Amino acid sequence: MGLIDIDDDKLQALYHRAWIESGRGFVDFRKYPYLEHALYQYARTNNCTLDEALILAKTGKKLF
């Protein structure tokens, strides 16, 4: 358990925030440090790849 635990809903909410900030276009997660940190933390705690965590953030579908 970390200081801030990232679950599925929180990850999707952070991606949505980045999507709004990008003008509802392409989201490069490296430009948004809060999203990048959340993706890495989610991937590490759930034993999945960064790509799978990003797909979950975008679509809400788990591939693992």
Side-chain angles (χ1 to χ4, degrees), residues 38-54:
L39 285 169
Y40 282 121
Q41 183 178 355
Y42 185 86
R44 192 175 326 122
T45 57
N46 292 312
N47 295 326
C48 65
T49 64
L50 184 63
D51 292 334
E52 291 171 341
L54 186 58

Side-chain angles (χ1 to χ4, degrees), residues 1-8 10-11 14 38 41-42 45:
M1 294 298 232
L3 182 63
I4 300 174
D5 293 328
I6 303 295
D7 60 351
D8 299 349
K10 192 176 291 185
L11 186 64
L14 289 173
Q41 183 178 355
Y42 185 86
T45 57

Side-chain angles (χ1 to χ4, degrees), residues 2-34:
L3 182 63
I4 300 174
D5 293 328
I6 303 295
D7 60 351
D8 299 349
D9 295 330
K10 192 176 291 185
L11 186 64
Q12 290 174 356
L14 289 173
Y15 183 84
H16 183 74
R17 176 182 167 193
W19 180 66
I20 296 293
E21 288 178 2
S22 71
R24 297 184 178 176
F26 176 73
V27 175
D28 183 11
F29 68 90
R30 288 178 231 109
K31 292 182 180 179
Y32 304 98
Y34 58 87

